[in-house]
Amino acid sequence: MSPELGRFALALACVFALAQAILPVLGARRRDRRLMALAPGLALGQLIALVASFLCLVNAAVTNDFSVANILENSSVTKPLLYKITGVWGNHEGSILLWALILGICGAAVAAFGRNLPSALRARVIGVLGGVAAGFELFCLTTSDPFDRVWPAPLDGQGMNPLLQDPGLAFHPPILYTGYVGFAVPFAFAIAALMEGRVDAAWGRWVRPWAVAAWCFLTCGIALGSWWSYYVLGWGGYWFWDPVENASLIPWLSGTALMHSAIVVEKREALKIWTVLLAIGTFSFSLSGTFLVRSGILNSVHAFAQDPARGIFILALLGLVIGGSLALFAWRAPSLTSGGLFAPVSREGSLVLNNILLCSICAVVLTGTMYPPFMSLLFGKTISVGKPFFDAATIPLAIPLFTFMGFGPMLPWKRAQLWPVLRRLWVAALATLAAFGVTVIGLSGVLPILCATMAVWIIGSSLTDIAGRLALFRVSFSQSIQRAKSLPRSAFGAALAHIGVGVSVLGLAVMSQAQHKIVEVHVGQKEELAGYEWTLTDVRTVPGPNYMAMVATMEIRHNGRLVTVMHPSKRSFNMQNQTTTEVSIHTNGLSDLYGVIGDKHGPDSNPTYVLRLHYNPLAPWMWFGALIMAMGGALSLSDRRMRVGAPRRAPAPDMVAAE
């Protein structure tokens, strides 16, 4: 499969996308059923062309076609096959093509699963997705062509960044991108709603599954990236408040708010304008975050490209998508009728508070991330915003958010009495008080104690909510089972997702008590850390497929009993003249023993080795919690009401006039 065929397929996909962006939308405006009916076929055609283009690039990587500049700069003959394939999206050009491919999948998915949508709305949604896809594909073809040729073709490539040669980072981008791009569908629904001038309960029910699906992927992508930082970078941490990490956290926060506000639209037809704005804002954050990373404005180990020359196209595309959608919002939002009055103490009220706090945290992270580059661009000042700022600014907002998470889902819609709900939570309150006592004794620092206590509150109240719905211990067990069968899966999913938040927060809080030390030892020398005895017993050199590794053997004992033998290593890649550390981790689910080998010092006859030793309590819980959150979202998606969609929409006689 030649690169020229891949470029032709990409150009063909762009033609399909442009047609998809124009014809169905025009058909919806004119009520022309023939034009609207073109939308699914165009979306499918675009997807087939993108798949063909992407396979051409994969084929070039696997067959070592170094006449392709992208392959030449990011691959080599000795690179393992897995990383030849995953390396396709481990660079700027390939990652943008992957973005376009996932966007094409989203358009085809709406075409396939949106058959119950009104034809005009479906045509507009697919049309908007086509417009965004066309922008990405034009970006690929004009400034980021993954099929550019070089002549003469070298016999070998320049190799891949060794940090990217890891399974975690190999699969992290596709999952993260699916989350990013998935929010394009709620965005398209929002733009379509603004075109129609109508948002109602049916719209809320259509949007919610797409928002939940994107949120699940983004949660997994962020967690996988955090886990990669933990076990690859060798610094023992999991989140650096790195600008690129923040670029994914920002849409996750606004996307979480979107999921919750869409419930209010669906159940009570309230928060319509706010939900539409959140849908636009979340995808705008996804889009701008991706381009800021790729343009090199946000410098990071994750930034694959440092090419400000593409800035003009990026700014034009961002201006068109984000500026255009906000302009349409400003024009049409006043025509969206509000409804669903509710009291401050109600389920809706708690979800509004949830939105305010989530968006406040989102604003803090956005400010802390963008302030340094703006100061550099506008005033030439180099400053950095680090962990102390983010901790001090976000945790005080997170504590009340965690508090309200406990009883918000238990409040009735429209109007509620707070005391009866709080009275149902007495068991969770007692568990929280007990947790507070334990954490005061076991943890140091006010914020870790508060966070750990709130984590127990979230978990306890979520379990209490489910127990109350099943009437556990108030009716027979068989009756509780019958209640469980009749309870919507989305109720279990929401509780599970909240429990996942509690588990992650508990892991974060207790992880703050981690112990570590950096030592320089001879082979056979022992060190003590956290009650464990760490002994370096051997260091040897082992060849790899495209590197040489210095592999250490460390025995860890507790009270004289052998706990584990660890083999951290340090790899030297001659082609890229880089070294990487391969951490060795032993976990029992409650804590991690974490070892890293650093530099070798002294003569070969009596060398010493630098070791970094960590004891990380509850570290695995941070990622278990994220997995539980995503499972909660997936369980909600399996709810029949989510899969079937909304009830038939009432006719809208003023729809045409609204245009």
Side-chain angles (χ1 to χ4, degrees), residues 640-658:
R640 184 177 177 277
R641 296 176 305 170
M642 286 259 203
R643 286 183 282 117
V644 170
R648 186 173 297 278
R649 205 175 196 181
D654 58 337
M655 194 177 291
V656 177

Side-chain angles (χ1 to χ4, degrees), residues 12-79:
L12 185 62
C14 189
V15 172
F16 274 120
L18 287 169
Q20 180 184 328
I22 297 170
L23 298 179
V25 175
L26 190 63
R29 183 176 180 81
R30 294 180 176 177
R31 295 295 179 215
D32 186 330
R33 294 189 176 278
R34 290 176 300 174
L35 287 177
M36 286 191 285
L38 291 174
L42 289 170
L44 185 61
Q46 186 201 168
L47 176 61
I48 292 171
L50 284 169
V51 169
S53 179
F54 194 77
L55 288 178
C56 286
L57 191 58
V58 171
N59 180 69
V62 171
T63 58
N64 298 320
D65 186 352
F66 298 119
S67 68
V68 179
N70 179 270
I71 307 301
L72 169 66
E73 293 166 2
N74 300 285
S75 187
S76 67
V77 173
T78 57
K79 196 165 78 168

Side-chain angles (χ1 to χ4, degrees), residues 410-411 419-428 464-465 468-469:
M410 302 171 71
L411 291 171
W419 175 242
V421 174
L422 294 177
R423 199 168 53 188
R424 289 168 54 192
L425 287 166
W426 66 271
V427 175
T464 302
D465 182 26
R469 290 170 183 256

Side-chain angles (χ1 to χ4, degrees), residues 478-548:
S478 60
Q479 288 176 307
S480 292
I481 296 293
Q482 287 301 320
R483 282 173 173 259
K485 289 179 180 176
S486 60
L487 198 63
R489 290 183 189 172
S490 58
F492 287 109
L496 193 61
H498 285 187
I499 289 171
V501 172
V503 171
S504 282
V505 171
L506 193 56
L508 289 167
V510 180
M511 175 67 179
S512 67
Q513 313 296 306
Q515 301 177 47
H516 75 277
K517 65 192 303 186
I518 300 173
V519 296
E520 186 167 346
V521 299
H522 293 91
V523 172
Q525 189 172 335
K526 300 175 182 177
E527 289 291 333
E528 291 282 335
L529 177 69
Y532 291 87
E533 185 181 270
W534 308 61
T535 307
L536 179 67
T537 59
D538 184 39
V539 179
R540 64 188 189 282
T541 302
V542 178
N546 56 347
Y547 58 84
M548 291 296 291

Side-chain angles (χ1 to χ4, degrees), residues 431-454 456 506 509-510 513:
T432 304
L433 284 174
F436 179 73
V438 171
T439 53
V440 166
I441 297 170
L443 302 182
S444 60
V446 174
L447 292 180
I449 291 172
L450 285 176
C451 287
T453 304
M454 284 296 102
V456 173
L506 193 56
V510 180
Q513 313 296 306

